[in-house]
Amino acid sequence: MAVIDILPADGKVVAEGPVGCSVEVCDDDFRHLDIGLPPEILRLKDAGYLTQAVAACDRLLKQNPDPSFAACVRAERYRMIETPLHFSVSRDRAIEMIREEWPEFTDKQFDDLIDRKRIDWRFIDGELFVLDNFLDSLRVYPKEVPGLRPDPTDSIALRNQMLEEMETQGGLSRTITLKACVSVPGALEGEAVRAWLPVAAACRQQSQIEILDMTPEGVIAPANALARTASWVSSTDRSFSVIYRYQIDAAYHDIYGGALPAHPCMDTSLPEDISEDRPHIAFTPYLQQLTERVVDGLEDQLDRARAIYDYLTLHIDYRYQPPYLLLGSIADDCAHSLRGDCGVMALTFITMCRIAGVPARWQSGLYVAPDSVGPHDWAEFYTPQTGWLNADVSFGSSARRMGEEWRRRHYFGNLDPWRMVANSRFQAGFEPVFDGMREDPYDNQMGEVSVDGRGCRRREMLRSVELIEMFEVPFSD
């Protein structure tokens, strides 16, 4: 690769730390994060002395610790190297950026936004840095930052019209055609490039999936793959694309009004739909206490799931997040901070449902509006009287923030036909297996690439997804 700050070694990523020590790290290392760092390294990390903390990790790894402990240290070390790349805007620069749009903005207003947790930040070597997309996060709350330009993407009226039609008609169906692309312009001649792009998977909502066109010699994973992809291996191609079509059916049931599906599915939940999946779906003491309080006195599984959804949508505020590999115990941290994005909220709902004895699982892919397409995550849950249903906590939280109670209720038990489902389990592996470390070791919505066995970072890839066509087809529940 022409742009390299992480170099290849034996099919794994090699992270070049500030002290120049190379350490292998892979996706599976992130499954051991909950083991935790030694207290002396954790103190350095929490204080933001990342250079010293990485050096301490290097010294520890040279002592050949227990394999699972070593995996945790490698993952934590990599997270510390990545942190300054995403928390890259200094306090002074952040204030300057806001003043470019809002000249009257003051230092005190910035500190107030920090105090109210509207801006995500980290201390790095004694200085406060904020997340590189902090302005986008602030635009979610236009009343609090009236001097900033509003978010240019606004399909609220179109979305609400679609949801009203869905509720009136009992459901909607769409046939959608998408084109996904990924390229690695920095790959050098002779380097082996492998690419994976997400495609629509067979699931409860999706059917009639067709691959219409793709870069030659691609391989399509099985229709029911947990993270379905189109993939390629090439020493000459540097750009890859796939065009696919699918039908998505979105039934509507007024769960709050007692209108349940007439023909609930048979129980197809699995043991993993009710168990921990550490480190992020973890039954921590606080989550157990919180869940017990939220579902107290409720025996019915549907009532429990609804109580959890109500608690989360009424209390959690939306916040743009850094890459998930930088986050700690995602569900537990969300429950403590009451902040999160779509995936963070989905994982918190899943975790609390499982603690409450309600089977729940992950779904993710794309939100496909007529005027924009982007990554999105949500959840599924199972009750005996309904079968599997969906819950979109982040959309419910957004509806509460905008004072649209009807829409908040809609997203418990229902979604909409503006979706593409590619993934049905958090931290699912690829088929065929990824040969380095993924840019996102937990999910796949925009695609991944490796070059000579080294996973590429986001800044090394060009990725896009384009809506080619969407049209309505008759809905049948």
Side-chain angles (χ1 to χ4, degrees):
M1 293 280 287
V3 179
I4 294 291
D5 51 46
I6 304 171
L7 305 174
D10 300 330
K12 295 184 179 180
V13 170
V14 174
E16 282 287 333
V19 297
C21 177
S22 297
V23 177
E24 295 179 353
V25 63
C26 64
D27 291 342
D28 281 345
D29 289 342
F30 284 79
R31 296 184 182 276
H32 301 277
L33 283 173
D34 58 345
I35 291 175
L37 288 168
E40 63 275 9
I41 300 180
L42 184 60
R43 286 193 292 269
L44 289 170
K45 176 190 173 186
D46 289 345
Y49 296 112
L50 302 184
T51 301
Q52 295 93 319
V54 168
C57 289
D58 292 336
R59 292 192 294 271
L60 176 56
L61 290 169
K62 288 179 180 178
Q63 300 171 19
N64 296 318
D66 173 80
S68 59
F69 185 31
C72 172
V73 174
R74 288 193 299 268
E76 288 283 11
R77 180 187 187 279
Y78 184 76
R79 280 154 40 104
M80 288 186 275
I81 292 170
E82 284 283 305
T83 294
L85 301 177
H86 300 281
F87 288 89
S88 58
V89 181
S90 68
R91 180 183 186 276
D92 290 344
R93 177 57 186 146
I95 293 173
E96 288 178 5
M97 291 171 66
I98 296 175
R99 285 176 179 166
E100 289 171 4
E101 301 182 26
W102 186 6
E104 299 80 16
F105 185 76
T106 67
D107 290 16
K108 183 180 184 303
Q109 286 175 301
F110 182 85
D111 293 335
D112 288 343
L113 290 171
I114 291 283
D115 291 343
R116 288 187 284 114
K117 298 185 282 188
R118 294 301 189 221
I119 300 176
D120 198 358
W121 59 272
R122 299 287 189 277
F123 274 121
I124 300 174
D125 294 333
E127 184 177 355
L128 184 146
F129 286 85
V130 304
L131 195 60
D132 51 12
N133 64 349
F134 80 100
L135 278 176
D136 295 330
S137 195
L138 287 178
R139 295 186 210 281
V140 174
Y141 301 92
K143 293 181 180 179
E144 299 183 23
V145 286
L148 290 183
R149 291 191 294 268
D151 190 332
T153 60
D154 184 5
S155 58
I156 294 175
L158 191 62
R159 177 207 61 205
N160 285 358
Q161 179 183 349
M162 175 270 295
L163 292 179
E164 289 170 0
E165 291 176 1
M166 179 178 169
E167 295 188 4
T168 300
Q169 300 177 27
L172 292 176
S173 295
R174 296 288 189 272
T175 293
I176 296 174
T177 304
L178 295 172
K179 179 179 181 179
C181 303
V182 63
S183 64
V184 278
L188 302 177
E189 183 179 353
E191 290 182 319
V193 175
R194 300 182 70 196
W196 291 256
L197 282 170
V199 296
C203 62
R204 183 171 51 85
Q205 308 106 300
Q206 279 178 181
S207 61
Q208 302 183 37
I209 301 165
E210 303 174 76
I211 305 298
L212 303 181
D213 191 23
M214 62 189 301
T215 301
E217 301 184 11
V219 175
I220 303 296
N224 60 351
L226 297 179
R228 196 180 189 209
T229 61
S231 61
W232 297 264
V233 180
S234 178
S235 59
T236 56
D237 289 334
R238 298 297 180 257
S239 298
F240 307 87
S241 66
V242 58
I243 299 176
Y244 56 94
R245 177 187 295 145
Y246 62 97
Q247 179 172 315
I248 187 155
D249 301 300
Y252 174 73
H253 303 284
D254 182 7
I255 305 300
Y256 282 87
L260 305 183
H263 304 288
C265 303
M266 298 295 291
D267 186 356
T268 57
S269 62
L270 301 171
E272 52 261 40
D273 298 326
I274 203 68
S275 61
E276 291 183 289
D277 188 5
R278 301 179 74 91
H280 296 300
I281 301 176
F283 299 172
T284 63
Y286 178 62
L287 278 172
Q288 292 186 70
Q289 293 173 22
L290 176 63
T291 303
E292 182 178 351
R293 178 173 66 81
V294 169
V295 304
D296 184 42
L298 302 175
E299 297 297 329
D300 181 81
Q301 287 188 338
L302 182 59
D303 290 340
R304 288 185 162 213
R306 179 165 41 204
I308 293 166
Y309 175 84
D310 285 345
Y311 173 81
L312 296 177
T313 54
L314 295 174
H315 290 86
I316 296 181
D317 284 336
Y318 188 89
R319 189 77 70 257
Y320 282 84
Q321 297 291 297
Y324 284 9
L325 66 85
L326 297 186
L327 301 182
S329 181
I330 290 177
D332 188 71
D333 286 353
C334 178
H336 278 88
S337 69
L338 298 178
R339 301 290 184 272
D341 66 1
C342 56
V344 168
M345 294 188 202
L347 284 171
T348 308
F349 176 81
I350 291 167
T351 305
M352 292 180 68
C353 279
R354 291 183 182 185
I355 292 172
V358 180
R361 62 194 183 194
W362 175 265
Q363 276 194 338
S364 71
L366 300 170
Y367 183 68
V368 186
D371 58 349
S372 63
V373 182
H376 192 47
D377 315 316
W378 56 93
E380 286 188 297
F381 66 96
Y382 177 89
T383 74
Q385 64 266 52
T386 64
W388 285 101
L389 294 174
N390 288 103
D392 192 326
V393 181
S394 69
F395 276 21
S397 172
S398 169
R400 180 263 305 169
R401 186 177 72 244
M402 299 177 72
E404 297 179 342
E405 173 63 10
W406 69 272
R407 185 162 64 89
R408 187 190 74 83
R409 293 188 173 208
H410 174 101
Y411 282 108
F412 178 73
N414 310 285
L415 290 178
D416 50 61
W418 291 359
R419 307 277 165 148
M420 188 281 287
V421 183
N423 310 292
S424 58
R425 194 162 298 282
F426 194 67
Q427 205 167 359
F430 291 171
E431 300 179 41
V433 175
F434 193 82
D435 60 341
M437 181 182 155
R438 286 154 50 179
E439 186 265 335
D440 182 348
Y442 301 127
D443 202 17
N444 182 41
Q445 296 159 310
M446 295 297 291
E448 298 276 357
V449 178
S450 71
V451 176
D452 277 356
R454 182 188 67 78
C456 294
R457 310 275 53 83
R458 178 174 57 182
R459 57 192 173 273
E460 298 171 317
M461 299 180 282
L462 298 176
R463 300 181 291 182
S464 66
V465 60
E466 174 188 0
L467 175 62
I468 303 298
E469 183 180 51
M470 177 193 294
F471 59 89
E472 186 170 356
V473 294
F475 172 77
S476 60
D477 193 352

